[in-house]
């Protein structure tokens, strides 16, 4: 079964450090989403890409977050510098085609910033 | 809010019983989807219903859509302990899905 792979699964870091999360979408899927999940805010869309081009990153704090797709098999989400309020589970999801296709989620990166 | 709003927020039932969750939204949609999230895992797609469909089945799942009321429901029949999870109903009104807070379902053995 093809699936979305996220690394690392868990990350604990100190405030001020850079954090990089990686996502390998399902081969052939041309749309990639980054979501953040917290108890208070639920699932928030941070950014998404289609055919590697960023289409919307309005959900992302621009001063510290950046998202890229260096190639079709890798999406990255970076936080620099990290803050305790960034503690959350970050999910990557990929989709084939357009809006009538389901999203396939990875199992997330649980980030703790102390 | 642009999100699909699930109701109730939490539901506890006994194994074998049916579970019904509802979802409301505010805009015109292309489709509405239901996802399940087990604890510590990513979301898993369950079913997609298009705006011109009224009902859809998949195994023990039955989804209805009422576009005039801007609402959908998910029925899980003969629930099992393994159905314990959070359920979400994001809808698509453009190019992306936006999620609500979900319904937390607990099925007691």
């Amino acid at each position: 079964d093809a699936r979305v792979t996220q690394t690392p699964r868990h990350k604990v870091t100190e405030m001020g450090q850079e954090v990089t999360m990686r996502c390998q979408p399902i081969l052939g899927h041309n749309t990639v989403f980054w979501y953040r999940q917290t108890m208070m805010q639920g699932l928030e869309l941070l950014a998404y890409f289609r055919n590697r081009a960023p289409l919307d990153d309005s959900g992302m704090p621009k001063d510290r977050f950046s998202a890229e797709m260096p190639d079709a098999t890798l999406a990255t989400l970076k936080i620099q510098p990290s803050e305790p309020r960034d503690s959350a589970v970050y999910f990557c999801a990929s989709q084939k085609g357009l809006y009538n296709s389901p999203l396939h989620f990875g199992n997330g990166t649980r980030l703790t910033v102390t | 809010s642009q999100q699909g709003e699930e109701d109730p927020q939490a539901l506890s039932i006994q194994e074998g019983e049916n579970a019904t969750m509802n979802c409301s939204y505010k805009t015109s949609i292309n489709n509405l989807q239901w996802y399940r999230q087990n604890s510590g895992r990513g979301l898993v797609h369950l079913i997609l219903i298009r705006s011109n469909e009224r009902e859809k089945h998949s195994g023990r799942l039955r989804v209805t859509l009422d576009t005039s009321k801007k609402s959908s429901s998910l029925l899980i029949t003969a629930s099992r302990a393994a159905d314990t999870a959070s359920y979400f109903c994001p809808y698509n009104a453009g190019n992306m899905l936006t999620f609500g807070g979900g319904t937390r379902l607990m099925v007691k053995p």
Side-chain angles (χ1 to χ4, degrees):
Chain A
D1 250 1
R3 52 183 183 162
V4 175
T5 304
Q6 289 188 248
T7 56
R9 284 298 313 277
H10 302 273
K11 176 74 176 178
V12 180
T13 191
E14 292 183 348
M15 183 173 63
Q17 296 298 306
E18 177 177 302
V19 175
T20 298
M21 291 168 270
R22 293 178 173 80
C23 168
Q24 181 175 0
I26 293 173
L27 193 65
H29 284 198
N30 62 339
T31 306
V32 175
F33 301 83
W34 283 105
Y35 286 90
R36 174 171 65 184
Q37 187 176 40
T38 61
M39 289 293 290
M40 294 299 293
Q41 300 296 326
L43 266 164
E44 302 172 277
L45 178 65
L46 297 176
Y48 78 102
F49 296 76
R50 180 155 296 139
N51 298 321
R52 294 177 55 203
L55 288 192
D56 190 327
D57 62 1
S58 58
M60 226 164 51
K62 302 283 191 308
D63 56 338
R64 299 183 300 107
F65 284 58
S66 62
E68 295 180 346
M69 276 203 76
D71 61 60
T73 64
L74 177 64
T76 62
L77 180 66
K78 289 186 182 179
I79 308 174
Q80 168 63 24
S82 57
E83 297 180 1
R85 58 179 168 152
D86 301 329
S87 297
V89 182
Y90 291 80
F91 288 102
C92 173
S94 71
Q95 180 188 41
K96 184 174 184 178
L98 295 177
Y99 46 78
N100 275 332
S101 303
L103 269 63
H104 297 258
F105 282 79
N107 281 322
T109 293
R110 180 175 294 277
L111 174 65
T112 303
V113 183
T114 60
Chain B
S1 169
Q2 293 288 311
Q3 301 154 315
E5 299 290 345
E6 297 87 354
D7 171 63
Q9 288 188 323
L11 180 61
S12 181
I13 59 174
Q14 292 294 133
E15 205 165 27
E17 293 180 340
N18 295 342
T20 299
M21 288 160 265
N22 302 296
C23 176
S24 62
Y25 57 92
K26 292 184 168 64
T27 69
S28 298
I29 60 172
N30 298 314
N31 63 63
L32 185 142
Q33 305 181 30
W34 284 91
Y35 288 78
R36 181 189 73 229
Q37 184 180 29
N38 293 93
S39 180
R41 311 287 284 183
L43 282 75
V44 174
H45 179 260
L46 295 176
I47 200 163
L48 181 153
I49 186 164
R50 298 172 199 260
S51 59
N52 61 353
E53 296 176 311
R54 292 296 166 259
E55 188 171 312
K56 209 161 182 181
H57 297 256
S58 177
R60 294 183 296 112
L61 306 181
R62 173 177 169 255
V63 168
T64 62
L65 179 65
D66 187 334
T67 52
S68 66
K69 295 181 180 177
K70 292 187 168 56
S71 67
S72 174
S73 67
L74 169 67
L75 168 67
I76 304 174
T77 59
S79 63
R80 304 167 182 169
D83 295 327
T84 295
S86 290
Y87 292 82
F88 298 86
C89 65
Y91 64 89
N92 185 293
N95 291 324
M96 56 192 183
L97 295 179
T98 308
F99 289 78
T103 291
R104 291 184 305 281
L105 173 66
M106 173 168 290
V107 181
K108 300 175 188 174

